[in-house]
Structure formats: structure tokens, C-alpha cells
Amino acid sequence: MAGKRMLNVDERVKNSRSKTVAQNDTRTMVDAHLYLREHSIRQSFEGFLSLWRSLSVACESGLDAHGLGPAHHRIMFLLGSHEGLLPSELCRRLGITKQSLGRALGELKGKRLVEQRQDGADRRKRPVFLTNEGRRLEAELFMAIRTVLTLAYRQVDGNAVDGFRRVLRAAEQVSQLPDGL
């Protein structure tokens, strides 16, 4: 009898958890629909614009000192994070044409901030690398970005930071779908 009674308690705990999970799932779905309203999406996009502006302002003086702009910075950032990218991969990640990349890379090469080397395995490939000066400048620019984001992250808890990153990853995945949305 005690074994049967214990089983009933276990079943009640299991059923209670299932109901709680179902209630949380329903609540999450309802909450998610609130975020899909036009006003909420406009607020989110305005927040992204504000963040982008803050990050851009943080890097402006470093870029201006070298006669560079945001396009140069985006290329340098990607090379700082993923050294040795091929020009085709830079174009894909940045969503720009070969012509636009070629112009910006030419300017960065002229300032001795990047260089292209022949690939050892495939001589037809010419990956792009930051030079020592390019690495130094990219690190300086990244420190400015890091400062802005660190100050913002310290104002919220880890769940908020994780949620923000999940939204960014999801938006990136949506943008990579063949037909966008």
C-alpha cells in the first residue's frame, strides 16, 4: 500500500510540473505576442539604432585619426575576429559587392592596415589579414566597443544579456534565409 501511495504522490508531482510548464509555455506565447506588436517592434528597432550610434560614436575618433569610415571598420572587425578570410567571405558576411569591398580593401592596404597573401594550399586564393598596425588599430576600436557594451551589460542581469544575444542570433538567421522573411 505504501508503494502505491508513493506512486500517486510521484504522479501528482509529475502532473503538477506538466501543468506548470504548460502554463509557462502559454504565458510565454502570450508575452511573445506582446513583443510582436508594431509599437514594440518600433521601440526595439529604435533601440538598435541608438546602440549602433553609440558604438559608432565610440569608434569615430580612432577611425577619423586614420582617415577611415564605418565600412573600413567593419572589415577590420571581421578580420580581427576571423583572420585570413577570403574576399568572397567578407562580401558575404558584410552583405556588400566585390566592388565595394575592393575599394575599401585598397584603401586599407594603402594605409598598411591589411594585406593579402597567397594561400599555401591553393595559390588562387588570396585571404586577407590585418597587419601589425591593423591589429593595433582594430584592438583600439574594439576596446571602445567593449567599453560601451560592458557599461550596458552591467546595468542588466545575465538573463537579459543572454536574451539580447539570442535575439541577435535569431535575427541573423532570419536574414540568411533565401527569401529573408
Side-chain angles (χ1 to χ4, degrees), residues 100-120:
S100 295
L101 178 67
R103 180 189 54 76
L105 275 181
E107 293 168 357
L108 289 168
K109 285 180 196 175
K111 294 177 183 294
R112 301 184 194 281
L113 297 170
V114 301
E115 62 185 2
Q116 281 187 277
R117 302 181 204 145
Q118 209 168 45
D119 188 298

